Each structure stands twice: as C-alpha cells, then as structure tokens.
Amino acid sequence: MKKTIALLFIFLTIGTYAQDSIVAPTEKRWDMFKYDFVNMFKGVGYSYARPLHWKGQQWAQLGGVVAGTGAVYLFDEESSEFIQRQKESVPHVIREYGELYGSPENNYLATSGVYLAGLITKNEKLRRTGVLLIASATSSGFLQQVLKSVVGRARPVAEKGKDTFDPFNSNRNYHSFPSGHALLAFTNAYAIGKQFKSPWIKAGVYTLGAIPGISRIWDGQHYLSDFVFAVAISIATVESIDRYLDKKYDQKYNDQTKKTSWNLNFGPGTLGVVIQF
C-alpha cells in the first residue's frame, strides 16, 4: 500500500508534464543535482527568514490565521467528536490512504521519486517541482516538530481535554499541535496544485491532500484546530519557497504572477477555508 500511494503521487505529478518537451541539455546530471540540492537547502533557509521581512499585510494575515485557529479551538471537542462519529461511514480505502500518505517516510519516498524523474529526464520543470516538494516538506516538517514539543498539547486520545498543555513532554500523547500528517500531505497537494490552471483540478488535488489530516481527527489523534493551523503553515511555506525558486529556475508554473491568498470563514453552522488564486 505504501509503494502504491507513492507511485500514484509520482504518476500524478509527472502527468502534469506529459505535454512538455523533455530537453536534454549538455549539463551533467551530477551538476544539476548539486545545483538543486543547494536550492533545496537555501529554500528552507529562505522560508525561515521571511518573517524578518514581513510588513503590515503579512502580519495582518498571521493575525488572521491565529484568530481563525483560535475560533476553531473553541469548538474543538464538539468538532472532534462529530468527525470521529463519521469514521465508520468512510470507505476503508480512503481511511487507509489517509493514515499512510501523511507519514514522513511515505512523503519523502514520493517527493524524491518526483525529483529523480526530473533529474533522469533532465526536465527542469519537473526538477524544480521536486525541489519545491522536498524543501517545503523539510521546512514545514521541522517547524511542526518544534511546535509539537514547545506547545505540548494533549491529543484527544489522551482524554485530558482540549485545554491540556504540557510543553516539552516527550510523550507522543502531548504532541497534538499542529498535525504532522495534515501538514506534509497538504504541503504536497498545494505544491502540486500550482501546476494546474483549472480551479476544479486544484480543488480536487487539495481535497486529496486534506484527507490525511482529517483522518487523524477521526482517529482521535488531533483536533480540528491542529489541522487548520497545519494547512496554514503548508500554504505559507510553499508560497515562500516557490517565490525563492522563481529566481533560480527559468521554468515557472503556468507563467502567471503568484497572487494567492486564503482566509478562514466562520458563521452559524459554517466553517471553511477559502483559497483565492
């Protein structure tokens, strides 16, 4: 099952370049790999340094994310119980996909496959996608590990309630916030979604990317606010590293200016994430 998920992810990504001409430049693959590896490393550093350059709009967006996550937090126990009750009605194949795809080992198996395919074929656009996937997963993955430890939020399965926090507790039952499965899976989905112009295809890719995070809620491993904040980190990380890679590679997605924003919507009986692109 793990290999099947990884292969499907690789085929989906490579399929976006099926109509691209694969150019065989004279540059050696080893030189390409060294260049790409440096960009992966620098891309991670760039994403961490961006808050130092934020201005009013970016800080306002961060405030909106914090406020939105806080609003979801207020209803975490109710939403968690509701989602858990839906678990038995979810097809087994979707539940299994949700559990396996968001794990770090499966994530890097899939993203490395995308990059290697681009390196072997000397396809710059596919290489760049692999660099974006690996750098984004590395950056966001490390950040969520730090946050899990610092925040020390109890998981629903610990049965301590949503307001229980024990920072730096090594017990995994206190590593709820944010959701690692949600973060890695949606990071991949958001990066892949950039390859498409159609909002319907983007929505489909984002839905597939959201399933692993939601599956962790119905398994009692995370609250909804853990999922929401993870999605926010995913979007911010991919956008940041993608902008950095624009300066390093000639191939750009869809040749369009990046104007992406997202907001949390709340209302009576309503909760949603709106992504504008």
Side-chain angles (χ1 to χ4, degrees):
M1 182 65 180
K2 293 182 179 181
K3 291 182 179 179
T4 300
I5 291 174
L7 288 173
L8 287 174
F9 176 81
I10 293 170
F11 290 151
L12 172 64
T13 308
I14 294 176
T16 66
Y17 306 100
Q19 296 179 350
D20 288 353
S21 59
I22 298 178
V23 181
T26 57
E27 187 178 3
K28 295 181 179 179
R29 290 183 178 86
W30 175 244
D31 293 328
M32 293 179 180
F33 173 76
K34 289 189 293 184
Y35 182 78
D36 295 337
F37 182 81
V38 170
N39 284 328
M40 289 178 196
F41 182 79
K42 289 186 176 180
V44 173
Y46 182 87
S47 68
Y48 288 148
R50 290 323 298 160
L52 300 176
H53 304 276
W54 283 358
K55 297 182 180 180
Q57 180 181 0
Q58 287 75 32
W59 287 110
Q61 290 176 342
L62 175 62
V65 169
V66 173
T69 303
V72 176
Y73 170 83
L74 296 175
F75 305 97
D76 262 345
E77 292 182 349
E78 292 82 358
S79 59
S80 176
E81 292 173 359
F82 173 78
I83 294 174
Q84 288 184 45
R85 288 197 297 269
Q86 314 310 311
K87 179 177 180 178
E88 296 305 318
S89 63
V90 178
H92 179 73
V93 64
I94 295 179
R95 285 155 52 182
E96 190 172 17
Y97 156 75
E99 179 180 352
L100 294 176
Y101 179 60
S103 65
E105 58 270 24
N106 292 334
N107 177 81
Y108 279 106
L109 177 64
T111 56
S112 296
V114 171
Y115 173 71
L116 288 175
L119 183 64
I120 292 171
T121 60
K122 293 187 176 182
N123 185 315
E124 181 182 312
K125 196 171 183 181
L126 193 52
R127 281 169 47 217
R128 176 208 164 108
T129 300
V131 171
L132 175 61
L133 288 165
I134 295 172
S136 298
T138 301
S139 175
S140 59
F142 178 75
L143 178 59
Q144 64 93 14
Q145 287 293 338
V146 172
L147 288 175
K148 280 177 180 289
S149 179
V150 172
V151 176
R153 188 184 193 188
R155 297 179 187 271
V157 293
E159 299 182 346
K160 299 289 186 179
K162 68 180 181 66
D163 302 321
T164 300
F165 298 87
D166 188 4
F168 304 108
N169 188 326
S170 60
N171 190 317
R172 70 175 303 276
N173 279 343
Y174 290 87
H175 290 177
S176 184
F177 183 90
S179 169
H181 276 64
L183 188 145
L184 289 177
F186 200 82
T187 293
N188 287 347
Y190 192 72
I192 295 301
K194 281 180 165 291
Q195 324 304 315
F196 301 96
K197 293 182 179 180
S198 169
W200 297 106
I201 297 179
K202 285 179 181 286
V205 173
Y206 294 159
T207 299
L208 288 175
I211 291 175
I214 296 174
S215 75
R216 298 293 281 173
I217 301 175
W218 70 50
D219 283 339
Q221 295 296 322
H222 290 286
Y223 292 102
L224 183 59
S225 60
D226 302 333
F227 169 83
V228 169
F229 197 75
V231 169
I233 293 176
S234 297
I235 295 174
T237 301
V238 173
E239 285 294 328
S240 175
I241 294 177
D242 193 32
R243 282 182 170 83
Y244 170 78
L245 296 180
D246 276 348
K247 298 179 289 186
K248 300 298 180 180
Y249 295 88
D250 293 331
Q251 294 292 332
K252 296 178 174 60
Y253 307 131
N254 302 327
D255 295 323
Q256 60 186 4
T257 302
K258 296 177 176 62
K259 295 181 178 179
T260 304
S261 62
W262 75 284
N263 294 285
L264 289 169
N265 276 2
F266 301 94
T270 302
L271 167 65
V273 179
V274 177
I275 303 175
Q276 296 177 331
F277 40 82

